[in-house]
């Protein structure tokens, strides 16, 4: 069974969001604010990367449909 890219995209974004939430709660509980900024940076970087990959795939499909 082949899983479509959109499913992988959603799973990766959601799992990263959950990891960020866990780091934020840990940061709140321990008072270590650096965890919050590390988690936020990781989440933002992954979201931007996945969005870029998704946009590239859409552009490639659009060019193929025009030809």
């Amino acid at each position: 069974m082949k899983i479509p890219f959109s499913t992988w995209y959603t799973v990766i974004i959601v799992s990263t969001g959950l990891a960020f939430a866990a780091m934020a709660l840990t940061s709140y509980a321990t008072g270590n604010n650096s965890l919050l900024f590390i988690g936020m940076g990781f989440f933002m970087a992954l979201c931007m990367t996945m969005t870029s990959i998704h946009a590239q795939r859409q552009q490639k499909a659009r060019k193929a449909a025009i030809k």
Side-chain angles (χ1 to χ4, degrees):
M1 181 170 110
K2 186 173 179 170
I3 299 173
F5 178 74
S6 59
T7 303
W8 283 114
Y9 179 84
T10 304
V11 166
I12 290 170
I13 296 295
V14 168
S15 62
T16 306
L18 291 174
F20 171 59
M23 288 183 82
L25 288 174
T26 303
S27 171
Y28 177 74
T30 62
N32 187 359
N33 288 337
S34 63
L35 285 177
L36 183 62
F37 296 114
I38 291 169
M40 191 179 344
F42 182 69
F43 181 69
M44 287 176 54
L46 192 79
C47 283
M48 291 171 62
T49 302
M50 293 302 294
T51 302
S52 176
I53 291 170
H54 190 65
Q56 288 173 0
R57 291 173 62 96
Q58 284 181 331
Q59 182 71 13
K60 190 171 149 183
R62 191 176 302 125
K63 282 184 180 179
I66 293 171
K67 289 183 181 180

